[in-house]
Amino acid sequence: MRKLTIHELNRLTVEDFKNTEKFPLCVVLDNVRSLHNVGAAFRTCDAFAVNKLWLGGITGRPPHREITKTALGSDESVPWEHAPDVPALVARLRAEGWQVVAVEQTTGSVPLPAFQPAPNQPLALVFGNEVFGVDDAVLGHCDAAVEIPQFGTKHSLNVSVTVGVLVWDVLTKWGVTAQAAP
C-alpha cells in the first residue's frame, strides 16, 4: 500500500468543478462565529459537491485569511452567498421547494439513523452557532430537526465535524457512490 500522488487522484480544476453538476443539497451556517469552522464547511461542501453554502447572519465571509487557511482553496470553488437574515432565508428556501432540516437537539428531533431525506426533493441543512445552536427564530421555519446520537459526557460536536457527518449521511442515504456522483 502507498499513498496516491496528486496526479493519481485526478481531481477537477476549480473551473471544471464550478461547471459540474452538484447534488441538490445546500448547507446553511446560522451565525457560526469561528472562521476556521467556516473554512472547514467550505472544504466539506467542495469534497461532496454541495449545491451551495449559505453564510448566515454574523457568519464570516471570504476573503479572510482564517477561512482561506482552513478551506485550502475551496472558498474559490464552492458557490456561496451571504444571507443577513437567516429566518427569511430559510422561509425562502422552503417556498422554493427545499426541505429544510435543522441539525439541532430539540423536543421533536429525529436521531440521525432514523432520518430519511426525501429522495426527490432538494435538502437544506441548517447548522447553528457553536454556543447557542440554531436560533429559535430559524427553527420555527424548519420542516424538521435531526440530531446525531452521542454517548459521551459532552452534548455536542464541533459544527465543522457535524457538517461532514450530516452531508455524508445524506449522500449515502440517497445512494450516492463514487461511481454515481453528479
Side-chain angles (χ1 to χ4, degrees):
M1 181 179 351
R2 67 175 176 78
K3 290 190 270 185
L4 296 174
T5 68
I6 196 74
H7 298 292
E8 289 173 307
L9 291 172
N10 199 27
R11 297 290 186 220
L12 297 172
T13 66
V14 170
E15 204 54 45
D16 289 339
F17 180 80
K18 287 180 179 181
N19 293 318
T20 62
E21 184 181 351
K22 308 294 186 289
F23 290 107
L25 176 63
C26 71
V27 168
V28 178
L29 299 182
D30 175 24
N31 292 309
V32 171
R33 12 168 233 159
S34 165
L35 299 176
H36 294 290
N37 284 336
V38 175
F42 267 102
R43 206 156 149 198
T44 298
C45 290
D46 176 279
F48 298 117
V50 168
N51 181 275
K52 189 170 206 171
L53 175 59
W54 289 95
L55 306 174
I58 65 162
T59 302
R61 307 183 291 277
H64 194 285
R65 184 177 55 121
E66 288 182 40
I67 293 172
T68 301
K69 179 180 179 180
T70 312
L72 292 178
S74 57
D75 51 332
E76 298 292 328
S77 61
V78 172
W80 67 272
E81 193 171 331
H82 177 245
D85 185 342
V86 182
L89 166 66
V90 169
R92 185 180 109 204
L93 290 170
R94 283 186 71 204
E96 292 174 359
W98 292 78
Q99 177 187 22
V100 179
V101 175
V103 182
E104 186 61 83
Q105 298 162 334
T106 71
T107 55
S109 57
V110 175
L112 185 58
F115 173 66
Q116 290 301 320
N120 295 313
Q121 184 177 16
L123 177 64
L125 296 171
V126 182
F127 300 88
N129 176 277
E130 294 89 342
V131 175
F132 304 110
V134 176
D135 189 271
D136 288 338
V138 174
L139 283 175
H141 293 284
C142 293
D143 297 303
V146 65
E147 67 177 276
I148 301 170
Q150 298 165 53
F151 310 103
T153 62
K154 302 302 174 195
H155 67 277
S156 67
L157 293 167
N158 180 280
V159 67
S160 67
V161 171
T162 304
V163 171
V165 169
L166 263 290
V167 170
W168 178 249
D169 183 76
V170 166
L171 293 181
T172 58
K173 286 176 179 174
W174 279 346
V176 174
T177 65
Q179 294 76 28

